[in-house]
Amino acid sequence: MGNPVVSILIPCFNAHRTLEETLQVCLKQTWKNCEIIVADNGSSDLSREIVAAHLGRVRLVNCAKLGAAAARNAAFAHSRGEFVKYLDADDLISANCVESQIARLADGTNAIASGEWGRFYQDEPKNWRPAPETVRNDLASLEWILRAFKGAQPMMQCGTFLLPRRVIDSVGGWNEELSLIDDFEFFTRSFLAVDEIRFAAGARLMYRSGVASTLSAQRSRRHAVSALESARLATSYVLARDDSRRAKDACADIWQSLAFDFLPDHPDVAEIAAAESKGLGGSSISFPGGRVPKFLAGLFGWRIARTFQSLIHRTGYRAMMLRRKRPNETAT
């Protein structure tokens, strides 16, 4: 395989607070033959200035404010790597991530490399912990998808994977009509174009959580509709390949999870998702939350329990913010 170029493609929108740290982990990869491209999506902060400080080692592509998917596609159009890693501007990867994943694809097999992932909160990557998964080994691509879908806990965040360029050329780029969980549709489509997903132990994605401005934290109606469409497309790809009871059960879990997510903010979206799950035979995934929400779900149904759960969370959040806004008080 020689010494192939790996393109690390980073969409960016007003990410100056985290972008420098993300660029540093890319620049310090043990696989030295990397090109790093930042596609700026109309930032109004200092993001472009941060990239400018690294010109010569990092390339900047300016694109209209059309969303993360469009920015990824613009970066890909300007890239030349034989392998591609998409990475968000607030996430981190281990120094050996690219090298470890390249090693798993060295024999030229028709495969995509995966890796470990885990969360850290705000600005504390030292607190990163690996997330439990059922897909941390080499698997046929359809088997990987069905295991990941089951229980509705698939993590298809883009920085976890390394893709041969020919795979992206064959399936097309990111769907620019989607925003929320666009990675779910893209990677389901890409995985079904290869024979195998190969796991690279030690290749870590450190996923930053707890940032309110990130796309995954958004719950607007547009994002809810995007999630529905992404799920519709991804599950249709899977069921077109395999319409077994197992595949239907796994897809039903995805739909039921979306129903939980979008109630009470978007009840019509939640009901569409619940109907899709029921049409596939229904889901057995448990209601998310602690003992009280689960008890209420068993007593009154998941809709009432979810509404109660959301109310409690929001009340607690508002109380926390009010406490933060109060001036310091001296104990008496």
Side-chain angles (χ1 to χ4, degrees), residues 1 12 44 68 98 100 108 115 130 144 156 165 190 199 213 222 309:
M1 185 173 63
C12 174
S44 58
V98 170
S100 298
W144 193 102
M156 297 168 112
R165 187 181 197 89
S190 298
F199 179 69
S213 60
R222 179 175 70 87
Q309 186 182 49

Side-chain angles (χ1 to χ4, degrees), residues 129-140:
R129 294 292 182 273
E133 283 189 304
T134 60
V135 288
R136 288 191 170 178
N137 51 318
D138 295 355
L139 294 166

Side-chain angles (χ1 to χ4, degrees), residues 271-326:
E271 290 304 325
I272 290 170
E276 291 285 351
S277 180
K278 185 177 180 180
L280 290 169
S283 169
S284 61
I285 61 171
S286 63
F287 185 78
R291 288 179 295 177
V292 172
K294 289 182 184 298
F295 172 77
L296 291 175
L299 196 61
F300 299 111
W302 66 267
R303 291 168 178 83
I304 291 176
R306 184 70 182 104
T307 301
F308 171 80
Q309 186 182 49
S310 179
L311 177 63
I312 294 299
H313 284 174
R314 291 179 183 181
T315 301
Y317 177 77
R318 284 196 295 268
M320 178 185 70
M321 294 307 294
L322 285 172
R323 285 196 298 271
R324 287 184 176 181
K325 290 179 181 179
R326 290 174 185 161

Side-chain angles (χ1 to χ4, degrees), residues 194-209:
V194 300
D195 298 327
E196 190 178 8
I197 310 300
R198 289 191 170 180
F199 179 69
R204 294 179 175 176
L205 167 71
M206 290 163 273
Y207 181 75
R208 190 186 303 263
S209 291

Side-chain angles (χ1 to χ4, degrees), residues 84-111:
V84 174
K85 176 177 284 292
Y86 297 101
L87 182 64
D88 287 348
D90 57 352
D91 292 338
L92 307 174
I93 52 176
S94 57
N96 68 336
C97 184
V98 170
E99 185 174 15
S100 298
Q101 292 182 317
I102 282 284
R104 295 308 328 275
L105 303 178
D107 60 1
T109 187
N110 183 31

Side-chain angles (χ1 to χ4, degrees), residues 17-130:
R17 191 176 69 81
T18 59
L19 181 59
E20 176 66 29
E21 192 174 14
T22 298
L23 291 179
Q24 286 297 328
V25 298
C26 295
L27 291 166
K28 294 174 181 177
Q29 286 297 298
T30 56
W31 186 265
K32 297 305 180 184
N33 201 10
C34 291
E35 65 169 4
I36 304 164
I37 301 176
V38 176
D40 186 74
N41 198 23
S43 294
S44 58
D45 64 357
L46 298 175
S47 294
R48 288 191 296 274
E49 286 80 357
I50 289 171
V51 177
H54 298 287
L55 288 182
R57 303 176 70 194
V58 180
R59 292 165 57 198
L60 177 65
V61 173
N62 288 302
C63 53
K65 188 179 177 182
L66 297 174
R72 293 186 189 106
N73 287 340
F76 180 77
H78 285 82
S79 70
R80 60 187 179 88
E82 186 179 335
F83 295 90
V84 174
K85 176 177 284 292
Y86 297 101
L87 182 64
D88 287 348
D90 57 352
D91 292 338
L92 307 174
I93 52 176
S94 57
N96 68 336
C97 184
V98 170
E99 185 174 15
S100 298
Q101 292 182 317
I102 282 284
R104 295 308 328 275
L105 303 178
D107 60 1
T109 187
N110 183 31
I112 290 170
S114 69
E116 303 173 11
W117 80 275
R119 298 180 187 274
F120 70 96
Y121 287 86
Q122 297 288 1
D123 299 316
E124 297 294 336
K126 65 182 180 182
N127 294 330
W128 178 88
R129 294 292 182 273

Side-chain angles (χ1 to χ4, degrees), residues 167-178:
V167 173
I168 304 168
D169 287 336
S170 70
V171 303
W174 291 68
N175 186 332
E176 297 181 14
E177 298 299 314
L178 302 176

